[in-house]
Amino acid sequence: MKRLLLALAIGMAMSAHADRVLQNVYARDVTSLNGTWQTIVDPIETGYYDYRMNETSNGFFRDQQPQSSYDHVEYDFCDAETLQVPGDWNIQRPELMFYEGTVWYKRTVPFHGDPSKPHYLYFAAVNYHADVYLNGEKLGTHEGGFTPFNFDVTGRLKDGDNTLIVRVNNTRHAEDVPTLISDWWNYGGITRDVLLVTTPKVSVDDYSIKLAPQKYNEIDLSVKLSQPLEGQRVTISIPELKINRQLVTDAQGEATATVKVKPQLWSPESPRLYDVTVACGDETLRDRIGFRHIAVEGKTIKLNGQPVFFRGISIHEEAPFEGKRVTTHAECDTLLQWAKDLNCNFVRLAHYPHSEYMVRRAEELGLMVWSEIPVYWTIDWENPATLANAQSQLRDNMDRDHNRCAIVVWSIANETPHKPARDQFLGALARQVKTADQERLLSMAMEITSETDEMAHIRDNMHQWVDIVSFNAYLGWYGGRPETCDIHNYDIPYDKPFFVSEFGAGAVAGLHGDATQKWTEEYQADLYARTLNMYNRQDGWAGCSPWILKDFRSPRRQNHQTQNFFNRKGLVSDRGQRKAAFAVLRDFYATK
Ligand code: GCU
């Protein structure tokens, strides 16, 4: 218990580095700070430490300019090379493809606003570690490459040009989340939007609009203001439901209400979203909200009370036609349209939270979402700071997306080792999910515990926590033959649905041959057909998200003939070529 309290204390301390994430930031008064930033590559942290490895007060964040011919300054942002924000640095400059270390980013932020109004600097994602400075003063730090964070800069912006400098470091560490190794490229940089947010003095920090638990004719509303002010009036309107409800806040600046109304439900077949406004004083936030229930009954998943089969595909946040981080809406649209072309109703956004737009677009397209934090492989389970980091990433992921009806699963881990320290670590995360959100399913990608040609056994203590038992299994690729699938079954002694969060095989697009020849499209297609038939025989099979939609960069895939630092398990190549297995999965899903 002491360790957990220490972890929670560290978690609180870490959260002090950045304020709680602003809900629905794009609906607010925002100024984009995207574009061309000046940069300095700093492989041995010259801009952060002195020669004795002490943090220097004269770092690059001071953006010093020589004032006289005697002044000694050995760095310069003015004529520095630039990088586009958002975007990973790896693909923007060939010499940075494998770079892991620090890059300093600088841009000027012109400001002529009302300094007394609240202002925030919002970063949608920076991989991995960010130190943020405004006019030479440190605002704080953030750990974690895939969740948003913001700093309150009220009263700290001067009239005219302000200097914003960010030290981004993507060096991997055993105690980080993810840890030292992962099967995806360590893309570094300011990889999503940067925004200057202005809010009224009293603003709606957060709100929740969803169906009342186990009800279809009641909607629960809740709001939380930026100040603990009593008696503030907040109006939530949903015109198409003839809702225009005024709430009055309590001494904590919070208010709740329940409205009797029967909305059209959101589903993949009918992804109905309602225009919603949340208004307080001179602030009106607009959102699009869907209403649905997801639940488990025995070995069946039910969406809006009806059995549902998750026809999924796994997706990394990599652009459809090249190996780089997704940075545009069009890239998200293409990836999700490919999922629709597969007859999917579900996407596993692996192995970390994707952009807010990706989730919102999935919602519009009628794709349910598995949202995951990168507690991946062999995490430093006994390190309280590591747990606090994972808790922060989980909190920020849920804070950002808790109004997104498309998210039906929160996933807290991928392929983690069975041992007491891991169970305790994941138990804390599971408790965090279950405390914050009883309206979604909890899961994680488990592993096969033992296996023969005839039978695979799943035994995982985390079964007590998860709502669906999910696991990754590569029979026919990382062991066994594809034909083994024909005689293979699964022993999963839990009265819960099971979901196959990964299976698959590598194939080089355009490489054809016999179905017994690995790396051919035929081998991949044959393995997909046999695997799908194998699971279709199993009791309690509730869906799958095969690995993976598209070939993606990985530092673990060095075979020159077939991989060249790409994981080739995509159903689509990194050039957009559809492989034979694409049609196998698509046609199977058409029967479910
Ligand atoms: C694992 C892991 C993936 C990885 C895949 C593979 O299951 O979860 O991140 O890419 O296997 O080996 O291709």
Side-chain angles (χ1 to χ4, degrees), residues 103-310:
V103 174
W104 293 86
Y105 285 74
K106 177 212 167 182
R107 69 153 287 159
T108 299
V109 180
F111 178 71
H112 304 291
D114 173 354
S116 70
K117 290 181 83 173
H119 291 84
Y120 300 86
L121 280 173
Y122 177 94
F123 294 82
V126 177
N127 190 49
Y128 169 82
H129 174 109
D131 294 298
V132 181
Y133 304 84
L134 181 64
N135 300 324
E137 298 297 317
K138 188 166 193 175
L139 298 178
T141 66
H142 181 268
E143 291 275 346
F146 306 98
T147 43
F149 57 98
N150 38 242
F151 293 106
D152 186 340
V153 292
T154 307
R156 301 180 75 161
L157 291 160
K158 61 187 182 187
D159 194 61
D161 283 351
N162 294 263
T163 300
L164 173 60
I165 290 178
V166 184
R167 169 180 173 259
V168 179
N169 184 292
N170 72 332
T171 308
R172 292 161 292 108
H173 307 95
E175 66 273 16
D176 289 350
V177 179
T179 186
L180 274 174
I181 59 170
S182 63
D183 193 21
W184 69 82
W185 206 259
N186 182 22
Y187 289 113
I190 302 178
T191 49
R192 295 182 195 154
D193 295 334
V194 182
L195 305 169
L196 175 62
V197 189
T198 306
T199 72
K201 288 188 174 52
V202 178
S203 166
V204 176
D205 250 7
D206 196 6
Y207 56 85
S208 168
I209 300 168
K210 59 188 173 67
L211 281 176
Q214 285 89 44
K215 297 272 181 70
Y216 290 99
N217 61 353
E218 287 184 13
I219 290 178
D220 283 344
L221 311 173
S222 70
V223 293
K224 177 172 176 37
L225 297 182
S226 57
Q227 313 280 340
L229 293 176
E230 192 165 11
Q232 299 297 304
R233 299 181 187 293
V234 183
T235 303
I236 295 181
S237 303
I238 312 179
E240 294 170 285
L241 293 175
K242 298 184 176 40
I243 292 175
N244 194 45
R245 180 62 181 262
Q246 190 174 83
L247 295 83
V248 181
T249 58
D250 60 17
Q252 285 69 46
E254 300 176 10
T256 61
T258 297
V259 179
K260 284 262 187 225
V261 70
K262 194 173 170 58
Q264 246 190 298
L265 300 176
W266 183 92
S267 71
E269 297 70 30
S270 169
R272 180 74 161 91
L273 297 174
Y274 285 89
D275 290 330
V276 173
T277 59
V278 181
C280 177
D282 52 8
E283 176 181 64
T284 298
L285 300 178
R286 300 181 188 291
D287 206 339
R288 289 178 43 77
I289 298 281
F291 300 99
R292 58 105 189 96
H293 276 310
I294 190 80
V296 163
E297 280 177 32
K299 294 195 173 189
T300 305
I301 300 175
K302 290 195 171 181
L303 176 69
N304 301 327
Q306 299 303 315
V308 65
F309 183 86
F310 287 166

Side-chain angles (χ1 to χ4, degrees), residues 492-513:
I492 307 167
Y494 310 119
D495 184 28
K496 296 181 175 179
F498 82 85
F499 176 78
V500 185
S501 33
E502 288 180 36
F503 71 79
V508 176
L511 179 63
H512 294 285

Side-chain angles (χ1 to χ4, degrees), residues 300-560:
T300 305
I301 300 175
K302 290 195 171 181
L303 176 69
N304 301 327
Q306 299 303 315
V308 65
F309 183 86
F310 287 166
R311 306 191 306 270
I313 189 71
S314 291
I315 302 177
H316 258 304
E317 193 181 36
E318 218 182 63
F321 299 102
E322 53 184 315
K324 76 175 187 67
R325 274 281 171 250
V326 164
T327 53
T328 70
H329 290 181
E331 289 164 345
C332 294
D333 296 349
T334 300
L335 293 171
L336 293 173
Q337 186 51 53
W338 288 353
K340 295 289 283 184
D341 294 349
L342 279 166
N343 290 322
C344 290
N345 64 4
F346 184 98
V347 287
R348 178 185 182 209
L349 300 186
H351 281 290
Y352 37 75
H354 290 213
S355 68
E356 181 173 341
Y357 176 81
M358 186 74 164
V359 178
R360 286 179 176 273
R361 185 65 182 138
E363 206 159 72
E364 291 170 355
L365 290 172
L367 290 164
M368 292 176 281
V369 171
W370 163 302
S371 181
E372 183 164 293
I373 56 169
V375 175
Y376 180 97
W377 287 358
T378 316
I379 291 284
D380 189 358
W381 305 111
E382 307 194 31
N383 184 330
T386 304
L387 175 57
N389 184 346
Q391 289 170 319
S392 293
Q393 294 189 41
L394 179 59
R395 178 204 61 205
D396 295 343
N397 187 25
M398 295 172 74
D399 279 356
R400 187 193 76 179
D401 289 343
H402 67 79
N403 280 314
R404 307 278 65 81
C405 67
I407 294 182
V408 293
V409 175
W410 296 119
S411 169
I412 55 173
N414 181 76
E415 296 193 349
T416 54
H418 299 81
K419 60 183 190 179
R422 166 265 207 180
D423 291 350
Q424 189 177 358
F425 188 104
L426 295 187
L429 296 180
R431 201 174 294 112
Q432 182 179 342
V433 172
K434 285 299 182 188
T435 303
D437 187 347
Q438 298 78 34
E439 301 300 302
R440 289 184 173 89
L441 305 181
L442 170 67
S443 195
M444 56 183 271
M446 298 173 178
E447 292 183 296
I448 304 289
T449 314
S450 61
E451 190 166 32
T452 64
D453 276 357
E454 292 72 30
M455 187 67 77
H457 304 276
I458 305 270
R459 296 292 184 275
D460 194 310
N461 295 336
M462 289 302 292
H463 76 86
Q464 58 186 321
W465 282 105
V466 298
D467 295 300
I468 51 177
V469 175
S470 305
F471 59 87
N472 300 344
Y474 283 89
L475 179 61
W477 183 256
Y478 289 130
R481 297 281 180 88
E483 51 271 31
T484 311
C485 295
D486 304 345
I487 59 163
H488 199 69
N489 290 297
Y490 286 77
D491 158 37
I492 307 167
Y494 310 119
D495 184 28
K496 296 181 175 179
F498 82 85
F499 176 78
V500 185
S501 33
E502 288 180 36
F503 71 79
V508 176
L511 179 63
H512 294 285
D514 186 278
T516 62
Q517 192 186 344
K518 269 195 170 182
W519 301 106
T520 61
E521 289 193 30
E522 287 72 17
Y523 187 100
Q524 187 187 43
D526 176 59
L527 183 55
Y528 263 72
R530 293 176 190 268
T531 302
L532 292 164
N533 289 333
M534 169 177 70
Y535 287 122
N536 221 16
R537 296 197 306 270
Q538 310 301 322
D539 174 43
W541 186 35
C544 59
S545 52
W547 195 259
I548 187 169
L549 179 65
K550 179 194 84 75
D551 291 354
F552 61 95
R553 283 191 197 281
S554 167
R556 303 181 74 244
R557 309 296 171 171
Q558 283 92 340
N559 180 301
H560 282 292

